[in-house]
Amino acid sequence: MAEAPQEFPERTGRLSIRTVAMPADTNPHGHIFGGWLMSQMDLAGGMHAVQRARGRVVTVAVEAMEFHQPVEVGDEVSCYTEVVRIGRTSIAIRVEAWVRRQCLDNTPLRVTTATFTYVAVSPEGGKRPVPPEE
Ligand SMILES: CC(C)(COP(=O)(O)OP(=O)(O)OC[C@H]1O[C@@H](n2cnc3c(N)ncnc32)[C@H](O)[C@@H]1OP(=O)(O)O)[C@@H](O)C(=O)NCCC(=O)NCCS
């Protein structure tokens, strides 16, 4: 019987999204499209930001996006998120994406890193202060 997969010891932050890269997520060359991965990272960071901001946020910036390794169809993709800066209305979240090749490999690889900045907004769409931490 296959050994149970281990959690990723070197990753930082909390697990915000885990999914599998599918054939529909490929570019014309058959590799996973970088834009798909960025959207997963934005979703992961956005969920973390919504929880910290206790309400709606919008993405205002992405910095230092780096692609370290390719992602392949069938890889398990996990996005880890960590708050790195809180301003008056903004929250910066570092996002790391890691893969487990074909959902099986016990040696996870860090594939991308970036810092996403979100702005807390009211239901009407105007900026609002980030509330104090509970
Ligand atoms: C987000 C938005 C409401 C901000 O409005 P704004 O009047 O330009 O706001 P400000 O210039 O005062 O910036 C608001 C906060 O974002 C931060 N910010 C703005 N641009 C930034 C950038 N490029 N990088 C990092 N932080 C940035 C500011 O420092 C400020 O943070 P603080 O309040 O914690 O000090 C507005 O730009 C907007 O609606 N953008 C579109 C968002 C969107 O639709 N995202 C999805 C894209 S598909």
Side-chain angles (χ1 to χ4, degrees):
M1 197 158 102
E3 208 171 296
Q6 298 158 355
E7 277 308 314
F8 305 168
E10 300 149 70
R11 56 94 183 121
T12 56
R14 73 157 84 144
L15 176 63
S16 288
I17 278 190
R18 178 166 283 166
T19 186
V20 177
M22 299 292 281
D25 308 319
T26 55
N27 63 25
H29 306 290
H31 300 122
I32 291 299
F33 177 47
W36 174 80
L37 192 51
M38 280 184 75
S39 72
Q40 300 303 310
M41 295 171 77
D42 191 16
L43 285 171
M47 283 201 306
H48 197 146
V50 162
Q51 287 159 3
R52 178 59 188 82
R54 299 206 290 281
R56 192 176 154 198
V57 300
V58 290
T59 310
V60 74
V62 185
E63 292 165 85
M65 182 83 208
E66 288 185 56
F67 293 88
H68 307 289
Q69 301 274 345
V71 179
E72 296 164 11
V73 172
D75 287 350
E76 173 197 86
V77 178
S78 303
C79 295
Y80 290 87
T81 58
E82 184 176 32
V83 174
V84 290
R85 188 177 66 249
I86 296 192
R88 200 182 80 79
T89 65
S90 67
I91 302 174
I93 299 203
R94 177 178 160 81
V95 184
E96 294 191 349
W98 290 69
V99 301
R100 197 192 312 270
R101 296 286 185 219
Q102 302 306 302
C103 304
L104 290 171
D105 196 340
N106 273 340
T107 313
L109 291 172
R110 193 179 63 160
V111 288
T112 51
T113 49
T115 300
F116 288 74
T117 302
Y118 302 90
V119 173
V121 292
S122 66
E124 294 73 37
K127 290 177 290 187
R128 66 181 169 92
V130 176
E133 198 155 16
E134 279 183 329

